[in-house]
């Protein structure tokens, strides 16, 4: 195999604000693996919360370039298990590599990834579209700019209920709330009562990731389901979320790619947890990988490429929440 690394700085349409940061550009790493005349593509973005940069990912992959390039084509599970010990401290780099390898493997097999996994796509969930924290006027204008059936609304301010009340005046769409660890226990329980009246479907990670006693209390008393995000990073975290959350949001960059992500979804289903996959403002490269997990999900947040002013790839397309696959095999990605 041949390993090719590309660095991008993805420009967003609007400043994107959550409870802990604001960004206008999203640095991203694209990994390409070439073998037998085929190419596979993967992606991981930088993230200050997880102390990950593109330069760090590139350096970690360069250290094991020889191991990667001398590897035989084997199943993604075998390849991931072989590489994991070298990248166990850089799951973002492992994710980009694993996505590229899954894409390459499926293309060599002449199949779309979901076909390779024997998934059927007839009942795929719709993706939400994210409205970042801003003035109420700006948040309303973002909704009006792109009418959508489901909005994920970022909160974690002192005016959270007022924001949702105002947004509700302008749409009948389903609302999902993501406070990104910005609330406390009583605040979450009380907010859930008001937000349920406003047509909110669920709350995502309202409290700090390590507040397990608080999560358990909210799990018992919240009138809305609560989905773990920052509390569910790697495979071992799924079992921890049982009886603390109603579902888990699997982020491929955090867990190390599609290969462990699939295992996490399977484990969550066994435990009776709702399943979700979220994105990290990736381009269509990362978003197209997520799309192949849709048949296994209850919810999905894969709007990252829609937030960009200019994409770097083609692959899946999304309209009114509906995801349409590329005609190409693998994840269906082509770099522009």
């Amino acid at each position: 195999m041949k390993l090719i690394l590309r660095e991008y700085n993805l420009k967003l349409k609007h400043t994107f604000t959550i409870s802990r940061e604001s960004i206008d550009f999203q640095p991203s790493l694209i990994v390409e693996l070439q073998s037998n005349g085929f190419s596979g593509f993967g992606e991981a973005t930088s993230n200050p919360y997880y102390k990950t940069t593109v330069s760090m990912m590139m350096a970690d992959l360069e250290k094991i370039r020889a191991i990667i390039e001398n590897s035989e084509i084997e199943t993604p599970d075998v390849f991931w298990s072989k590489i994991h010990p070298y990248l166990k401290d850089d799951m973002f780099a492992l994710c980009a590599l694993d996505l590229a390898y899954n894409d390459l493997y499926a293309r060599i097999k002449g199949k779309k990834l979901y076909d390779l996994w024997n998934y059927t796509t007839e009942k795929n969930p719709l993706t939400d579209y994210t409205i970042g924290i801003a003035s109420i006027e700006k948040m309303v204008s973002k909704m009006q700019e792109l009418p959508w059936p489901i909005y994920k609304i970022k909160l974690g301010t002192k005016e959270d209920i007022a924001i949702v009340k105002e947004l509700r005046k302008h749409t009948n769409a389903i609302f999902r709330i993501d406070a990104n660890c910005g609330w406390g226990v009583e605040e979450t329980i009380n907010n859930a009562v008001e937000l349920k009246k406003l047509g909110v479907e669920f709350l995502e990670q309202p409290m700090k990731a390590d507040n397990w006693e608080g999560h358990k209390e909210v799990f018992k008393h919240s009138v809305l389901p609560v989905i773990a995000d920052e509390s569910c990073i790697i495979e071992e975290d799924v079992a921890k979320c049982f009886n603390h959350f109603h579902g888990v949001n699997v982020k491929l960059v955090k867990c190390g790619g599609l290969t462990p992500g699939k295992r996490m979804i399977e484990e969550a289903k066994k435990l009776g947890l709702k399943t979700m996959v979220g994105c990290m403002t990736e381009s269509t490269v990362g978003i197209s990988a997520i799309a192949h997990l849709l048949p296994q999900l209850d919810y999905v947040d894969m709007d990252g490429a829609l937030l960009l002013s200019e994409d770097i790839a083609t692959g899946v397309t999304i309209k009114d929440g509906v995801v349409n696959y590329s005609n190409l095999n693998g994840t269906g990605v082509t770099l522009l």
Side-chain angles (χ1 to χ4, degrees):
M1 281 189 294
K2 183 179 180 184
L3 171 68
I4 301 169
L5 305 178
R6 296 181 178 90
E7 184 175 2
Y8 291 89
N9 203 21
L10 308 174
K11 188 177 188 304
L12 277 62
K13 288 179 185 173
H14 304 286
T15 299
F16 187 72
T17 301
I18 63 174
S19 62
R20 55 178 176 258
E21 65 170 336
S22 295
I23 60 170
D24 292 293
F25 290 87
Q26 176 60 68
S28 181
L29 170 66
I30 301 297
V31 170
E32 179 181 356
L33 291 175
Q34 296 178 345
S35 182
N36 299 327
F38 296 95
S39 284
F41 300 94
E43 181 174 19
T45 55
S46 67
N47 192 294
Y49 182 80
Y50 294 102
K51 299 179 174 61
T52 300
T53 65
V54 171
S55 59
M56 184 180 92
M57 289 187 274
M58 293 177 76
D60 287 340
L61 288 167
E62 287 291 353
K63 288 175 191 172
I64 58 169
R65 175 181 285 276
I67 295 168
I68 295 166
E69 294 192 331
N70 291 324
S71 293
E72 298 294 324
I73 297 298
E74 49 211 349
T75 67
D77 286 302
V78 170
F79 181 75
W80 191 90
S81 296
K82 174 183 176 179
I83 298 296
H84 174 254
Y86 300 101
L87 292 177
K88 65 182 187 297
D89 296 323
D90 189 348
M91 288 300 202
F92 282 55
L94 182 56
C95 170
L97 183 64
D98 178 74
L99 267 54
Y101 191 86
N102 271 276
D103 185 20
L104 175 66
Y105 185 80
R107 292 189 198 224
I108 290 172
K109 294 294 183 182
K111 292 187 174 183
K112 290 181 170 62
L113 204 47
Y114 67 75
D115 279 331
L116 191 68
W117 296 335
N118 295 315
Y119 292 169
T120 56
T121 60
E122 288 81 8
K123 297 181 179 179
N124 282 359
L126 301 179
T127 181
D128 56 39
Y129 180 76
T130 305
I131 306 296
I133 296 171
S135 67
I136 290 179
E137 294 76 19
K138 185 67 174 174
M139 293 174 82
V140 169
S141 74
K142 286 180 182 179
M143 288 198 319
Q144 292 172 338
E145 180 183 291
L146 192 63
W148 210 255
I150 310 169
Y151 290 109
K152 180 158 102 165
I153 302 162
K154 295 286 190 176
L155 295 178
T157 76
K158 294 178 180 178
E159 305 295 330
D160 286 342
I161 301 301
I163 289 171
V164 180
K165 281 182 176 177
E166 184 59 34
L167 296 184
R168 177 49 74 205
K169 295 176 185 176
H170 300 272
T171 180
N172 292 320
I174 295 168
F175 284 171
R176 297 168 178 172
I177 299 302
D178 185 358
N180 284 113
C181 312
W183 295 346
V185 174
E186 291 304 316
E187 189 177 12
T188 301
I189 293 169
N190 293 336
N191 282 352
V193 174
E194 295 305 311
L195 292 169
K196 185 176 182 180
K197 298 173 189 173
L198 294 166
V200 169
E201 185 177 26
F202 63 73
L203 307 177
E204 184 179 339
Q205 195 69 46
M207 299 181 301
K208 291 189 185 307
D210 59 356
N211 186 5
W212 290 99
E213 282 302 312
H215 298 317
K216 194 165 190 176
E217 192 71 11
V218 167
F219 176 78
K220 288 179 184 175
H221 299 292
S222 174
V223 298
L224 286 174
V226 183
I227 309 296
D229 180 359
E230 285 89 345
S231 294
C232 189
I233 297 174
I234 56 174
E235 293 180 64
E236 292 75 14
D237 294 333
V238 176
K240 292 181 189 175
C241 290
F242 181 65
N243 283 337
H244 290 79
F245 292 90
H246 301 88
V248 294
N249 182 2
V250 176
K251 297 279 184 68
L252 301 184
V253 291
K254 297 192 298 186
C255 71
L258 285 164
T259 301
K262 280 178 63 195
R263 295 194 293 254
M264 290 174 74
I265 291 164
E266 289 163 8
E267 175 71 8
K269 284 178 174 290
K270 288 177 186 174
L271 293 170
L273 294 165
K274 292 290 187 181
T275 56
M276 178 178 179
V277 167
C279 65
M280 306 284 266
T281 322
E282 296 99 329
S283 75
T284 288
V285 176
I287 298 304
S288 294
I290 291 172
H292 291 262
L293 294 170
L294 283 172
Q296 299 296 298
L297 305 180
D298 296 297
Y299 316 116
V300 70
D301 171 36
M302 49 182 292
D303 64 341
L306 298 173
L307 303 175
L308 303 179
S309 65
E310 189 174 344
D311 208 339
I312 60 170
T314 59
V316 299
T317 56
I318 303 171
K319 185 175 181 182
D320 297 326
V322 178
V323 177
N324 297 293
Y325 293 93
S326 162
N327 291 325
L328 300 177
N329 289 328
T331 63
V333 165
T334 302
L335 288 185
L336 295 171

